[in-house]
Amino acid sequence: MRRQIPPVSCLVLLAAALAAASAASPTPAAVAVNVTGVLSAFPDLSDFTRLLASSPVLAELAGRSSLTLLAVPNGNLPQSPSAFAAASGADLADVLRYHVLLEYLAPADLRRLPASGKLVTTLFQTTGRAPADLGAINVTAAGASLAVVRSPAPSPVSNATVLGAITAVPYNLSVLAVSGLIVPTGFDLAASESRPPAAVNITRVLADARAFNVAASMLEASGVAAEFEDDERGAGITVFAPTDDAFAGLPAGDRLQSLPADRKAVVLRFHVLHSYYPLGSLESIVNPVQPTLATEFSNAGRFTLNITRANGSVAIDTGVVQATITRTVFDQNPVAVFAVSKVLLPKEMFTRTASGGGGGDDSSIVAATAAASSPPPAATAPEASESARTPPTKLSSPPALRGGGGQDYDTASARGIGIGWWWCIALVYLLPHLV
């Protein structure tokens, strides 16, 4: 006879089975969210998403849930986020961490904020670089707007208004739009004053500006970025950065990209003045001929820029090309970065030659025979320029040997030698008849 299981035992077994199943699979609240996947649906947040994806912060979010992300729309981001952070003494990655709240806050939660506000821990607090609770952010109600977010420090560096809710994945991720980047405060100011300020990363500034990809990649590959940072600690530097359109507008024969690495480094140094000049100083510059960083690696008087004011803008003449400053990319003493309309090519390395044709600019730029900072290697010397392969069309004698009648000595000598040979031939022909 089969034994029957009492009903109470069946319920106990069913409860145990359900408990085992729930333990084997995570609850929805514990599942981490693909933050960039969520943000990719909102084009107005594309620049902020790109900053997040290019920083180490994204990897730190991989295993987390119950977050609130304070995202900055494209139009509210500073032109150079890294320079904005550096000007406040902060690192861009730490600024982004400060925009990650380790608590899920929906719009309804913001409307229920107490009058004194609410202190919420951020991802920056977990780094250990924030003293006391200054890695947290203070969220307070603000009348018609949802809230205002700021550092809890007595004198916060910056604050932002919550513009509205973007999206939410309850209760894992809430995305709120804010009016600008918020910089954490409370760093050890005494320690900061006792050590030199961190150098501005020119390569990062150019990359963030989003119109200088070629210049940024050349600078990173050249290895001269460290020289720029060393010069910042002296009298400062002024960088003239060609835009991507300026590189695209180079004539086909300029040969810039085919130059050896050491020559490219000279061209990059040629774009830098060894002093800090804001735009107003360049507009009223007293000495228009300015040495560049490339001048320090050569003889004085070489690799200079002629800077003048023309037609309401700053004009830069290299002796080969004429460019203008189109906008200010970054200006924070001791570093100024300006966009220029053309690649500045030094006359010591390039020359402009006539190419014929119709109207307009009928010239092209080719590599010159003159060396840059050092003579080129023997293997590459024949390829330095086309003019090196072309023999001169006329050989002129030294000035001391030239005649006074407007005729060169070598020309007169050649004519005299020709007449002498003619008389010799005539005598040889007549000699048998005379005998």
Side-chain angles (χ1 to χ4, degrees):
M1 181 178 179
R2 181 176 298 175
R3 185 180 177 182
Q4 294 182 350
I5 300 176
V8 176
S9 300
C10 290
L11 293 175
V12 172
L13 291 174
L14 179 61
L18 291 174
S22 62
S25 59
T27 60
V31 177
V33 178
N34 182 352
V35 176
T36 53
V38 172
L39 296 179
S40 63
F42 303 95
D44 195 40
L45 299 177
S46 59
D47 291 341
F48 185 84
T49 305
R50 180 181 57 82
L51 286 176
L52 201 62
S54 62
S55 74
V57 180
L58 187 62
E60 297 170 16
L61 299 180
R64 290 184 175 272
S65 60
S66 297
L67 304 172
T68 299
L69 182 63
L70 306 178
V72 184
N74 296 344
N76 297 85
L77 274 174
Q79 192 173 57
S80 175
S82 61
F84 174 83
S88 302
D91 180 75
L92 180 59
D94 282 343
V95 172
L96 294 175
R97 293 183 182 100
Y98 202 53
H99 287 68
V100 180
L101 312 186
L102 303 185
E103 184 177 332
Y104 180 89
L105 293 176
D109 299 318
L110 298 179
R111 296 188 185 97
R112 291 192 294 266
L113 289 172
S116 60
K118 181 177 181 178
L119 206 61
V120 182
T121 302
T122 72
L123 188 62
F124 175 58
Q125 182 74 37
T126 66
T127 64
R129 290 189 290 275
D133 61 352
L134 294 181
I137 203 163
N138 192 16
V139 186
T140 57
S145 61
L146 282 175
V148 171
V149 288
R150 61 169 62 89
S151 168
S155 300
V157 174
S158 59
N159 58 56
T161 302
V162 177
L163 303 175
I166 300 296
T167 187
V169 182
Y171 294 93
N172 289 325
L173 177 66
S174 173
V175 181
L176 305 175
V178 293
S179 60
L181 287 177
I182 317 113
V183 178
T185 56
F187 294 99
D188 189 349
L189 298 180
S192 299
E193 292 172 359
S194 64
R195 63 176 182 268
V200 176
N201 189 327
I202 303 296
T203 306
R204 177 63 67 86
V205 169
L206 294 176
D208 287 347
R210 300 185 292 277
F212 305 90
N213 296 321
V214 178
S217 61
M218 285 184 65
L219 186 59
E220 184 175 5
S222 67
V224 301
E227 298 176 13
F228 293 3
E229 294 180 4
D230 289 341
D231 278 11
E232 292 176 26
R233 297 182 174 90
I237 61 172
T238 301
V239 181
F240 300 116
T243 62
D244 291 337
D245 290 340
F247 279 99
L250 282 172
D254 64 50
R255 294 192 166 191
L256 174 60
Q257 297 300 334
S258 64
L259 288 176
D262 59 337
R263 296 285 191 93
K264 286 183 180 178
V266 173
V267 175
L268 290 173
R269 296 187 187 105
F270 186 63
H271 286 72
V272 179
L273 301 183
H274 189 46
S275 292
Y276 165 69
Y277 289 103
L279 186 60
S281 297
L282 291 176
E283 290 174 338
S284 58
I285 198 164
V286 176
N287 182 11
V289 179
Q290 289 290 316
T292 65
L293 192 58
T295 308
E296 299 181 6
F297 293 80
S298 64
N299 298 328
R302 304 184 71 213
F303 296 102
T304 59
L305 296 174
N306 195 329
I307 302 174
T308 56
R309 181 174 175 82
N311 300 323
S313 61
V314 177
I316 304 173
D317 191 344
T318 73
V320 178
V321 297
Q322 293 80 38
T324 57
I325 291 179
T326 57
R327 67 183 175 96
T328 301
V329 180
F330 177 74
D331 186 355
Q332 183 73 38
N333 192 358
V335 178
V337 181
F338 300 103
V340 290
S341 59
K342 294 184 180 180
V343 181
L344 306 181
L345 302 176
K347 63 180 180 297
E348 289 82 0
M349 296 173 59
F350 296 84
T351 184
R352 185 178 292 276
T353 59
S355 60
D361 186 3
D362 60 348
S363 59
S364 61
I365 299 171
V366 298
T369 57
S373 59
S374 59
T380 60
E383 298 180 1
S385 69
E386 293 295 334
S387 60
R389 302 178 183 178
T390 305
T393 56
K394 179 181 178 181
L395 296 176
S396 60
S397 59
L401 298 180
R402 293 182 180 177
Q407 187 178 34
D408 288 349
Y409 175 83
D410 52 354
T411 306
S413 299
R415 183 175 299 176
I417 293 173
I419 294 173
W421 275 108
W422 186 87
W423 278 109
C424 290
I425 294 172
L427 288 173
V428 170
Y429 180 79
L430 293 175
L431 186 61
H433 298 281
L434 295 174
V435 174

